[in-house]
Amino acid sequence: MPRPVHFEIHATEPARLIAFYTDLFGWQFNAWGPPGQYWLIRTAPDADSAAAPPGIDGGLIKRQGDAAISGQPVNAFVCTVGVDDASATLANIVVFGGSIALPRMAVPGVGWLGYGKDPDGNIFGVMQHDPSAA
């Protein structure tokens, strides 16, 4: 069955979003291709290692047009990042310059889910695994 193998974040000001995601999740960004246009994102120390947690790596690309107009529906996939503490991560989203799209909520039997927006308005989820969530 097909599954996601890569993600991309579109950025009006790439340096600002690189700092945001580095501060929030500790992701590593490495320039690739034409200068100032694309960065590879490493979400785990060694994605090829058997010891690496499940997940995918991605990329950040300079936005090729205007950011989404306020009030328009999202026209992309929303990726959710596994975190140890959803409440703390949602608080840090604001500290690092983002905003909360939807506050933390229980997904019964699964965990705690919330949605944030990075400084460019891109929506992403954070999920804390907790089978006792209700």
Side-chain angles (χ1 to χ4, degrees), residues 10 20-21 37 45 50 55 57 83 85 89 98-100 110 125 127 132-133:
H10 291 248
F20 176 80
Y21 286 106
Q37 296 299 309
D57 290 332
V83 298
D85 184 334
T89 302
S99 61
I100 304 304
V110 177
M127 169 64 79
S132 67

Side-chain angles (χ1 to χ4, degrees), residues 10-14 16-17 61-63 65-67 120 122:
H10 291 248
T12 303
E13 295 178 40
R16 182 173 67 162
L17 292 194
I61 187 169
K62 184 165 176 52
R63 193 177 300 280
D66 291 336
D120 221 29
N122 297 305

Side-chain angles (χ1 to χ4, degrees), residues 6-61:
H6 182 81
F7 66 91
E8 285 184 337
I9 300 168
H10 291 248
T12 303
E13 295 178 40
R16 182 173 67 162
L17 292 194
I18 288 169
F20 176 80
Y21 286 106
T22 298
D23 290 342
L24 187 62
F25 296 129
W27 291 349
Q28 298 172 350
F29 291 77
N30 294 298
W32 184 81
Q37 296 299 309
Y38 202 88
W39 294 260
L40 296 174
I41 303 171
R42 174 78 53 159
T43 63
D46 184 355
D48 298 326
S49 167
I56 59 174
D57 290 332
L60 183 133
I61 187 169

